[in-house]
Amino acid sequence: MILWLWLCWGFSTSAGQPDSELMARYLEEKLMADYSIMEEVARRVPRQAKFLQRLETRPRMSEFTVRSTIISRYAFTTVSCTMVNSGSEAREGVFEMQIPAPAFISNFTMSIGNKTYYGEVTGKEKKHSSDDKARQMKPPSPADGRENGYETFKASVFIPRKMQARFLLHYEELLQRRLGKYEYTVSIRPQQLVGRLRVEVNILENSGIVSLEVPPLRNSKHKGNGKVEGDVSPPPSTVVGHTKTLAKVTFNPSVVEQTRIARNGILGDFIIRYDVNRELSVGDIQILNGYFVHYFAPTDLPPLPKNVVFVLDSSASMVGTKLKQTKEALFTILQDLRPEDHFNIIGFSNRIKVWQQDQLVPVTPNNIRDAKKYIHNMSPTGGTNINSALQTGAKLLNDYIAQNDIDARSVSLIIFLTDGRPTVGETQSSKILSNTKDAIHDKFCLFTIGIGNDVDHKLLERMALENCGMTRHFQEDEDAASHLKGFYDEIGTPLLSDIRVDYPEDNVEQVTQNFFPNYFNGSEIVIAGKLINHTSDSLHVEVTASNSKKYILLKTDVAIDLPSRNDIRGVPGLEDGKGDKNYIERAWSYLTIKELLKSRLKSNDNREKDYLMEKAKSMALTYNFVTPFTVLKMKEAGLHSEPPQEEFVSPSTDGIGEKLQSLQGHKAPPGIRRQEDKQRIRISKTSADGDPHFVIDFPSSKFSVCFNIDGEPGDILRLVSDHKESGVTVNGQLIGAPAPPNGHKKHRTYFSTITILSNKPQRSYLEITPKRIILDDGERLVLSCDRSAVVRSSSLEVSISANSNVTVTIRDTISFVILIHHYNKPAPYQRNHLGFYISNSKGLSSDSHGLLGQFLNHEVKLLQESLNTSHQQVGQNQTEALKPNSTNTLKVKGRLVPVVWKQRRIYNGQQEVDCWFAKNNADKLIDGSYKDYLASHPFDTGTTFGTINSL
């Protein structure tokens, strides 16, 4: 038996096959998969099907399965493929899988007949310098016009007749956030129709999943992929299910559905995009078993001004589509520049042409118009002088920064685009790199873009890395313009500059990169490290940065003991028992190795390069990663070993608080309710909602009391006042609206703002309106009410159900629910407003006050009054027997309050409440009059009538 295994940096093309041959294979697969369909399929197959089957030379792929678990942006992927040789002689079976270039292969196993082979990651032997140079001169070929491309894993083996081979490939990657979304991609290119094809992706994000989408299959040629122009629906047979923190996406096309997509078995890229809730302004910090990972992606910040120089290749090789696509993209990019930006354009071939000599011009309609004319008139000619073009661009930007009083917090950058290699002037890569680095001198960043197959990828990548930028590569196809625009969108909106993230030196070690020159909108900063102080119960984090308005300092302490939140028992890719199944540790190792590889690429010192290589190799061997310095060698496990089994365990959700056996809408486990968030929230009747109508529930007395407050627009009512004891105060501000026609009121009032203040254990406040929520606990955070989110701190939790409600929990003993009332087409007397409900009052003291708070720990007696008789106390079992038209009285703190029977609807009209109604603005029911409950401002914490305090 002969066995080959190799890694290919590029792509293999597959020749098309006759339709009759495909149909014959289709018949064979369907016969094996489901005998009952034989007659239906046979009617569509020519009589020579058996003859064509005998002509088939390669084994048939009976199963192709991709299963993935994404845990906090870190993806474990397992690919399983089974090939059957039904012929009368041994045939070569080729397993080929395109994996994302940033991913690391972590395991590979295959079984042929009764023999099993497993992959062992070993260090790569150092090659001679001449061989190394020859290898480096051959750049990897990006896949399918993808920005980062793929690497193709290929394993070839001869399969004995009438036997099958099974392949299991495992790889891991940390998903990158671009344009506000994480993107997970699976290449589905088995190169033949498959009887059982399935993709299953499970996502667990404790921060909460938002904006989950599955676009149509992506194919570089946009042919045969079943995509209709403008179609944004998921691929056929795709099922998506998700809760707040869990998501499951499956793609399971039948052979018929595969044929409709691509008859050659090259279906394309299956893509999942999503984002997560941003809980705290300092970021999302996850800790598990001595390791941490920190995700920082702030939003709602004003963009920084930009000083940008576009350096564009206009050499003869750009003729045709490439220059046309570049011009189209630049027209759009220029239109997106902001009024506070400054820019210039350089075109280069063997000559350097600067649009505006010795200056950057502001963004004005006239300058944008003239710039478009300049770009339109660019024509391809001459060679490619990369060195002089970059020197000119760097000098232009340096002189502008030095000679002008620019905004100290503005971001300066060069965007460089080419399709080839240097052919004029300085052509030696090492000289171009050193010249560029000297010219930029760490004053701004360089972003490089390569188009086509002739570009020097290594040169562009290293230029970007050495000058704090990024690089992208695009194929020359009909999507180049949108790719260019997409890359600019990634870097076109800088929000912060000079970001530094610090942790106590005596608490952490081996921390990955923690200083970043820029943060761009829609991206994410990721830092990981090891904890060394095992006695500390928290990790202190400080983030410093600049934005267009101010210097920012964010601080927080993160609890280290978070097993219920971050402990995931059983993740795919670690089935061999190595390691401790710590996904955060593996994310740290992944990031560390990536940084070592980048540092080695940037280094010019051979000793340093060797040191970095050995360090990266050692870590890769520890975590079983295939890298440029490690290889995968196959070993036979034994003649009678068991065939490889796909051990795939979904992530444990113990302690997360939300368990669902199925995310596709099937049966849920006992005790788990599948209602919407607003239906799951426990709401008491005690509330202030509507115009506003107040309801107080007395559970022990088995009745409710209600009243109205006819306030004035602008009044601020004190709803709960317990500042001295529990430290909690709730105030509600009224907004006015005209009264309905034929109504008895002169106007209506609603709650437009609810302010919740707390001073224990530390000062914080919440300001809630129908549109947004402001949380300030030392760090100001603005959240939109139209997006679901959860924000937690040591003593406060805010949970937003988009456009529905906000739940505020204080120290786990006090809970308020604020309903958000929106009108799509409001009548003149309607206003968007809020309703306030008390869900849990255990943490409020017996001395709490306010229009609602004064009744939380006091009982009210109900009396029935008959003519010419004294009051009689009514028992609990007699309450419902009282007639609505009888005269009844409440006894409240010795006061007698006449009441009448009423019915009220609360909680968006979903619940009807029978209550005893006190007239005249709750006269005698409440202490004093309603004017005694007017606060002077939203932050007034006064607890006695006429007293004003502020938090």
Side-chain angles (χ1 to χ4, degrees):
M1 182 177 296
I2 303 174
L3 174 68
W4 287 278
L5 176 68
W6 67 94
L7 289 175
C8 301
W9 303 87
F11 286 86
S12 298
T13 58
S14 177
Q17 299 170 8
D19 288 352
S20 56
E21 183 181 2
L22 284 169
M23 194 61 72
R25 188 181 306 116
Y26 170 55
L27 171 63
E28 182 181 5
E29 291 169 352
K30 295 302 287 183
L31 285 173
M32 293 190 65
D34 188 357
Y35 185 79
S36 64
I37 202 171
M38 179 184 65
E39 293 182 358
E40 176 188 347
V41 178
R43 288 194 295 268
R44 293 179 284 160
V45 179
R47 291 184 177 180
Q48 66 270 33
K50 292 183 179 180
F51 174 73
L52 291 172
Q53 290 173 15
R54 287 197 297 269
L55 293 179
E56 171 62 43
T57 58
R58 61 177 177 174
R60 173 181 49 80
M61 189 178 295
S62 63
E63 172 258 345
F64 181 86
T65 302
V66 180
R67 306 191 72 184
S68 174
T69 292
I70 302 171
I71 311 172
S72 297
R73 295 80 143 173
Y74 195 74
F76 299 87
T77 302
T78 300
V79 183
S80 172
C81 175
T82 302
M83 294 184 180
V84 178
N85 179 12
S86 56
S88 58
E89 58 184 19
R91 294 175 179 173
E92 184 183 26
V94 179
F95 168 66
E96 185 174 313
M97 183 67 188
Q98 296 170 2
I99 67 173
F104 286 148
I105 293 172
S106 58
N107 204 352
F108 178 67
T109 311
M110 59 184 177
S111 173
I112 304 100
N114 61 352
K115 290 188 177 181
T116 298
Y117 302 85
Y118 65 93
E120 180 180 1
V121 178
T122 62
K124 185 182 292 186
E125 296 180 3
K126 189 174 182 180
K127 295 185 178 181
H128 297 293
S129 59
S130 59
D131 296 337
D132 195 47
K133 286 183 179 179
R135 178 181 59 83
Q136 290 184 0
M137 288 182 63
K138 184 178 180 181
S141 175
D144 255 1
R146 295 293 312 282
E147 295 177 5
N148 285 330
Y150 288 103
E151 293 171 358
T152 300
F153 177 90
K154 182 183 289 186
S156 176
V157 64
F158 275 93
I159 305 174
R161 67 185 187 91
K162 307 299 181 182
M163 298 188 76
Q164 70 177 22
R166 187 155 189 251
F167 306 88
L168 277 179
L169 174 68
H170 306 269
Y171 62 86
E172 303 174 19
E173 62 181 313
L174 181 66
L175 303 185
Q176 297 181 14
R177 187 171 185 257
R178 293 179 181 171
L179 301 178
K181 295 284 183 70
Y182 302 99
E183 181 173 294
Y184 175 76
T185 304
V186 175
S187 174
I188 307 175
R189 293 171 171 84
Q191 302 188 36
Q192 57 177 290
L193 300 178
V194 183
R196 295 187 302 275
L197 190 153
R198 179 178 175 84
V199 177
E200 179 181 314
V201 181
N202 293 279
I203 304 172
L204 170 59
E205 295 286 354
N206 285 318
S207 301
I209 300 171
V210 296
S211 305
L212 179 68
E213 63 181 39
V214 183
L217 292 170
R218 178 170 59 194
N219 191 293
S220 64
K221 303 299 181 182
H222 297 290
K223 296 178 182 178
N225 64 352
K227 180 180 176 181
V228 180
E229 189 67 27
D231 181 21
V232 294
S233 59
S237 78
T238 300
V239 179
V240 181
H242 70 95
T243 63
K244 283 185 177 179
T245 59
L246 296 167
K248 182 175 183 179
V249 180
T250 60
F251 174 58
N252 189 21
S254 65
V255 177
V256 173
E257 289 171 322
Q258 295 174 47
T259 306
R260 292 170 180 166
I261 298 170
R263 304 186 73 179
N264 60 359
I266 303 178
L267 277 64
D269 298 329
F270 184 78
I271 304 166
I272 298 173
R273 297 191 185 105
Y274 72 95
D275 200 14
V276 300
N277 282 318
R278 309 289 160 186
E279 292 189 351
L280 297 173
S281 55
V282 76
D284 179 15
I285 303 163
Q286 301 187 19
I287 300 172
L288 182 63
N289 296 340
Y291 293 84
F292 74 90
V293 62
H294 182 181
Y295 301 99
F296 181 62
T299 57
D300 298 324
L301 296 172
L304 299 172
K306 294 192 300 296
N307 310 307
V308 56
V309 176
F310 299 96
V311 183
L312 310 176
D313 190 344
S314 61
S315 62
S317 59
M318 288 286 289
V319 68
T321 304
K322 285 184 281 191
L323 188 56
K324 179 183 177 183
Q325 297 285 327
T326 301
K327 290 181 178 181
E328 290 178 3
L330 261 294
F331 290 157
T332 307
I333 289 171
L334 288 174
Q335 207 62 45
D336 288 346
L337 291 174
R338 296 180 176 86
E340 61 271 21
D341 296 338
H342 291 75
F343 73 105
N344 203 340
I345 302 168
I346 297 175
F348 75 94
S349 54
N350 56 326
R351 298 173 56 195
I352 312 300
K353 300 178 182 179
V354 181
W355 171 49
Q356 297 286 338
Q357 290 293 332
D358 303 326
Q359 64 175 326
L360 269 67
V361 300
V363 176
T364 64
N366 288 341
N367 286 336
I368 295 298
R369 179 199 61 202
D370 294 343
K372 288 182 178 180
K373 288 181 181 178
Y374 175 79
I375 293 171
H376 176 76
N377 293 329
M378 288 177 63
S379 58
T381 182
T384 308
N385 194 339
I386 291 177
N387 184 71
S388 293
L390 287 170
Q391 293 297 303
T392 303
K395 183 178 186 305
L396 184 66
L397 198 49
N398 274 316
D399 290 347
Y400 176 77
I401 294 172
Q403 297 171 9
N404 292 274
D405 185 20
I406 66 170
D407 191 320
R409 296 186 179 93
S410 63
V411 173
S412 300
L413 53 107
I414 292 177
I415 297 178
F416 176 81
L417 182 147
T418 185
D419 76 325
R421 301 168 181 271
T423 60
V424 178
E426 182 59 69
T427 59
Q428 188 175 347
S429 294
S430 59
K431 286 286 188 181
I432 295 175
L433 288 167
S434 61
N435 291 343
T436 303
K437 190 170 183 179
D438 290 342
I440 292 177
H441 203 60
D442 296 329
K443 292 183 179 179
F444 45 84
C445 296
L446 170 65
F447 297 85
T448 61
I449 303 170
I451 302 179
N453 292 324
D454 298 328
V455 72
D456 189 339
H457 305 285
K458 291 289 185 183
L459 175 62
L460 295 186
E461 181 182 15
R462 189 167 173 184
M463 278 198 304
L465 286 175
E466 290 184 354
N467 298 284
C468 69
M470 297 185 293
T471 187
R472 291 287 185 273
H473 177 268
F474 310 118
Q475 291 293 87
E476 181 188 356
D477 61 17
E478 60 268 29
D479 258 354
S482 63
H483 287 325
L484 289 171
K485 178 59 169 62
F487 179 54
Y488 174 78
D489 288 343
E490 290 185 48
I491 62 175
T493 309
L495 297 182
L496 295 172
S497 60
D498 300 330
I499 306 100
R500 183 178 182 88
V501 185
D502 290 307
Y503 314 90
E505 292 183 359
D506 57 348
N507 275 19
V508 300
E509 66 177 0
Q510 299 184 44
V511 177
T512 58
Q513 177 184 351
N514 69 331
F515 177 79
F516 304 86
N518 298 301
Y519 166 73
F520 298 99
N521 188 38
S523 65
E524 184 171 60
I525 289 172
V526 185
I527 307 153
K530 295 177 65 176
L531 301 176
I532 56 176
N533 186 351
H534 299 291
T535 61
S536 177
D537 58 358
S538 65
L539 175 65
H540 184 71
V541 182
E542 291 191 4
V543 179
T544 58
S546 298
N547 77 348
S548 61
K549 297 295 183 183
K550 57 187 176 183
Y551 175 81
I552 297 175
L553 172 61
L554 305 176
K555 298 181 181 181
T556 192
D557 291 294
V558 183
I560 289 179
D561 185 18
L562 297 173
S564 63
R565 176 177 169 86
N566 293 329
D567 188 14
I568 306 299
R569 297 180 178 86
V571 293
L574 301 177
E575 294 86 351
D576 56 5
K578 295 181 180 179
D580 60 357
K581 304 185 187 300
N582 186 343
Y583 68 96
I584 293 181
E585 179 183 354
R586 295 191 72 82
W588 165 78
S589 66
Y590 175 96
L591 284 171
T592 302
I593 293 172
K594 288 289 184 183
E595 288 191 3
L596 290 171
L597 297 178
K598 289 180 180 179
S599 298
R600 184 179 184 273
L601 181 63
K602 291 163 55 177
S603 176
N604 291 317
D605 185 284
N606 288 331
R607 292 182 62 182
E608 183 184 29
K609 289 169 77 75
D610 289 342
Y611 168 77
L612 293 170
M613 180 187 71
E614 291 301 323
K615 191 172 181 181
K617 182 194 296 184
S618 174
M619 182 166 285
L621 293 174
T622 300
Y623 291 94
N624 218 56
F625 286 146
V626 177
T627 69
F629 309 129
T630 54
V631 295
L632 193 64
K633 292 185 177 180
M634 303 305 297
K635 292 189 176 182
E636 187 174 347
L639 294 177
H640 302 289
S641 62
E642 292 293 326
Q645 299 295 321
E646 182 185 0
E647 299 179 19
F648 185 91
V649 183
S650 295
S652 167
T653 58
D654 291 346
I656 294 176
E658 187 171 10
K659 302 181 183 180
L660 295 176
Q661 289 178 342
S662 171
L663 299 175
Q664 300 179 11
H666 302 306
K667 185 178 179 181
I672 301 298
R673 300 174 61 185
R674 294 297 307 273
Q675 291 91 342
E676 294 294 326
D677 294 346
K678 62 182 181 181
Q679 294 174 325
R680 287 205 304 262
I681 296 172
R682 187 180 71 85
I683 295 290
S684 74
K685 298 175 185 177
T686 302
S687 59
D689 203 346
D691 186 12
H693 303 312
F694 288 74
V695 177
I696 300 119
D697 187 34
F698 296 96
S700 59
S701 301
K702 294 187 177 180
F703 64 81
S704 300
V705 177
C706 50
F707 59 91
N708 295 344
I709 293 294
D710 296 326
E712 296 294 328
D715 282 355
I716 301 172
L717 306 183
R718 189 173 293 114
L719 304 178
V720 176
S721 182
D722 196 29
H723 185 71
K724 291 184 177 179
E725 300 298 330
S726 67
V728 174
T729 301
V730 181
N731 296 327
Q733 185 164 6
L734 299 177
I735 188 174
N742 303 320
H744 64 281
K745 294 183 178 181
K746 60 181 181 179
H747 58 248
R748 282 188 165 191
T749 53
Y750 303 95
F751 285 120
S752 62
T753 305
I754 298 291
T755 306
I756 301 174
L757 308 104
S758 175
N759 69 341
K760 294 181 180 180
Q762 60 186 11
R763 173 195 176 277
S764 61
Y765 75 83
L766 272 166
E767 185 178 276
I768 304 170
T769 71
K771 288 187 176 181
R772 69 175 188 175
I773 299 165
I774 299 176
L775 167 62
D776 194 327
D777 57 354
E779 300 172 3
R780 183 180 174 90
L781 181 64
V782 180
L783 303 168
S784 174
C785 289
D786 62 1
R787 294 186 180 181
S788 296
V790 176
V791 179
R792 299 186 184 94
S793 65
S794 58
S795 60
L796 182 68
E797 178 177 312
V798 181
S799 178
I800 307 171
S801 180
N803 295 319
S804 176
N805 57 69
V806 180
T807 302
V808 180
T809 304
I810 303 173
R811 298 188 297 274
D812 294 325
T813 58
I814 303 170
S815 295
F816 305 126
V817 177
I818 295 88
L819 296 191
I820 303 171
H821 298 280
H822 278 289
Y823 297 97
N824 293 327
K825 297 180 180 180
Y829 52 86
Q830 292 176 325
R831 296 287 186 272
N832 292 338
H833 64 281
L834 303 173
F836 176 76
Y837 292 75
I838 298 178
S839 179
N840 181 5
S841 60
K842 291 181 180 178
L844 295 172
S845 74
S846 58
D847 293 329
S848 63
H849 212 268
L851 287 169
L852 293 175
Q854 63 185 294
F855 299 105
L856 296 177
N857 294 289
H858 295 279
E859 286 300 320
V860 175
K861 295 180 180 180
L862 178 63
L863 309 173
Q864 183 173 21
E865 181 181 285
S866 302
L867 289 174
N868 302 321
T869 61
S870 59
H871 297 288
Q872 299 178 4
Q873 183 172 340
V874 178
Q876 295 178 4
N877 58 348
Q878 295 176 285
T879 302
E880 295 183 1
L882 295 175
K883 295 181 180 181
N885 59 356
S886 61
T887 302
N888 298 286
T889 304
L890 292 178
K891 187 174 183 180
V892 182
K893 299 180 182 179
R895 302 187 296 268
L896 300 180
V897 184
V899 292
V900 296
W901 189 259
K902 269 201 173 185
Q903 287 187 329
R904 281 273 168 86
R905 288 189 175 272
I906 62 172
Y907 200 54
N908 277 332
Q910 297 181 14
Q911 186 173 349
E912 192 173 80
V913 177
D914 295 328
C915 60
W916 293 102
F917 179 74
K919 299 180 180 180
N920 302 322
N921 278 330
D923 184 37
K924 298 183 180 179
L925 176 68
I926 59 176
D927 296 336
S929 69
Y930 92 92
K931 290 187 178 181
D932 295 320
Y933 297 85
L934 295 181
S936 61
H937 55 79
F939 304 99
D940 180 3
T941 59
T943 57
T944 59
F945 302 146
T947 302
I948 298 176
N949 295 319
S950 296
L951 183 64

